[in-house]
């Protein structure tokens, strides 16, 4: 008997642009819009749902302005409590990526993981922060994450979260594998261009190295008034052999679902005995402050 | 002024099959054949050349028989000395993957690195050994490598070697990056089938994570009498953004060359500041004996 789990990813364009509305208005409208997708997922029998990175806003790290600090919430806060109601209603695990403030003036780029009864299972705080041109200025907004690479034991699967830029670092992806992840969600904010081919290279490579499933969410559309590029959607799932099995559109709001057979994990590991053959005693450079 | 380095990879079918000739005969014929490609590379202005894994034989790990032990050589031994003459003749760095015996009864799957004057710069001994069905039985033949992830400073570039199955482990690929590799060579023995898509997934992912070039060599053809599959050639180079820039045929003996511009490394790292953003203090699981 296979262990099928129906998973969902939501890619969702901001309904109001930052040059036409205040941050709080955008947040309110965006949450309303996302809730409609959460409801849709629940009605579609999704058992584990993942929203996009910093799900209630535009990707405001395209500029550096303290006004965006004001949207952050503690966890649990009003938005996590709202999502917990839907988790309970639909017996659906929900990964909620959001802007967290655990202490006044301290901010993280975080994902809250709610179980199928709406209970907060824990947090993953983004470990690796970008700060690049032309405007992925996360080191201005967030403190580097301090949670390590936690795996959350949900009713349906053991899941991990690895947020956007984290994916450039095979180390955390491996730690999630060692910690028992069966599915790793990677909510992202990635634009078209020179590095677009990485989108279906890095996370499938993590899936292969660790023989787990990955579910990758990207944003959709151009977010005004910033000029960092076009978020090209294309959210997808890849299987334990790194094959992309389901892909969303480049430009549409969308709930992408896939039924993942968790038995494929052990089946793949019977063929690829990579965990048997690791040589941890030779990896000392990786934990040193080099170069 | 760009720092162009002409690199070469040799994929080369065995001229005699193991069901028609004794191991020593095959070795002799195979070395003769490979020397013709080494000469061709030298005449083509190749500055760094890499041969295929266990270059003088068939991939004998398709069976488990002590008769193959007898082909192994110490380093330097006759074959490395022969290659050193060509290195000197053509001022060409040569990576020579071979079956090494440093002590009677001790064997490694090794690559010897010769500099452009024919001097032995050092060895890389394969760290991760496969032992899978239907016959990649390397744990029978070899001791797991003990050299770590050395980088060799040659006249033309800083190079590393990561042998075949090693590529399933992002850890060593990262260590090579941290140790300064500009080009990583990955001589392999890989057959067509279910896992074929990994061939252009894993090594380009290492190139991206570490922003170095990779040069990957595969064998060619079916090696009788074994039934482990068809070595599908397709040796290739990928650049520091993980883009495949040059690919050999699936089924022919071939010298593949590419001119790699080492300045692309720094250019890529100016855009992708992944080394800046690593978090070594969070990677502790990777060096523990887990799970």
């Amino acid at each position: 008997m296979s262990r099928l789990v129906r998973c969902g990813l939501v890619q969702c364009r901001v309904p109001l642009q930052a040059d036409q509305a205040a941050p709080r208005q955008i947040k309110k409208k965006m949450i309303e819009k996302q809730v409609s997708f959460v409801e849709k997922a629940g009605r579609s029998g999704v058992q584990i749902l993942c929203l996009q990175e910093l799900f209630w806003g535009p990707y405001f790290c395209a500029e550096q302005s303290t006004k965006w600090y004001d949207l952050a919430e503690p966890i649990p806060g009003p938005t996590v409590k709202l999502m917990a109601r839907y988790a309970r209603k639909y017996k659906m695990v929900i990964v909620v990526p959001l802007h967290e403030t655990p202490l006044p003036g301290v901010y993280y780029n975080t994902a809250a993981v709610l179980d199928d009864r709406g209970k907060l299972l824990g947090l993953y705080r983004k470990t690796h922060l970008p700060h690049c041109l032309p405007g992925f200025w996360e080191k201005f907004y967030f403190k580097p994450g301090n949670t390590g690479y936690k795996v959350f034991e949900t009713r349906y699967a053991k899941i991990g979260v690895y947020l956007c830029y984290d994916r450039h670092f095979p180390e955390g992806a491996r730690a999630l594998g060692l910690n028992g992840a069966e599915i790793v969600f990677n909510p992202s904010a990635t634009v078209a261009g020179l590095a677009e081919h990485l989108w279906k290279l890095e996370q499938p490579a993590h899936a292969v190295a660790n023989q787990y499933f990955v579910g990758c969410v990207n944003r959709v559309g151009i977010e005004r008034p910033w000029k960092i590029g076009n978020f090209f959607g294309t959210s997808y799932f890849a299987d334990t052999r790194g094959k992309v099995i389901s892909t969303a559109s480049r430009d549409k709001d969308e709930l992408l679902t896939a039924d993942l057979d968790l038995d494929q994990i052990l089946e793949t590991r019977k063929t690829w005995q990579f965990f048997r053959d690791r040589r941890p005693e030779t990896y000392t450079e990786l934990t040193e402050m080099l170069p």
Side-chain angles (χ1 to χ4, degrees), chain A residues 123-160:
Chain A
L123 307 178
Y124 171 71
R125 289 171 174 155
K126 187 171 183 172
T127 309
H128 306 91
L129 298 180
H131 200 87
C132 327
L133 299 170
F136 288 81
W137 288 320
E138 297 201 16
K139 291 185 201 289
F140 173 78
Y141 288 103
F142 310 116
K143 189 170 170 177
N146 62 349
T147 53
Y149 308 99
K150 284 190 197 172
V151 169
F152 304 97
E153 189 141 3
T154 75
R155 178 170 164 191
Y156 308 111
K158 295 177 188 165
I159 67 173

Side-chain angles (χ1 to χ4, degrees), chain A residues 156-221:
Chain A
Y156 308 111
K158 295 177 188 165
I159 67 173
V161 187
Y162 209 42
L163 278 164
C164 192
Y165 193 70
D166 279 330
R167 69 186 158 92
H168 303 308
F169 304 85
E171 292 93 337
R174 170 67 90 203
L176 286 166
L178 290 170
N179 291 336
E182 296 174 311
I183 308 168
V184 171
F185 291 97
N186 176 235
S188 291
T190 297
V191 293
L194 259 186
E196 192 174 323
H197 64 292
L198 303 194
W199 180 243
K200 288 190 177 169
L201 178 68
E202 296 171 302
Q203 304 97 313
H206 301 329
V208 166
N210 299 287
Q211 301 129 63
Y212 52 47
F213 291 91
V214 294
C216 308
V217 196
N218 193 17
R219 293 182 161 263
V220 186

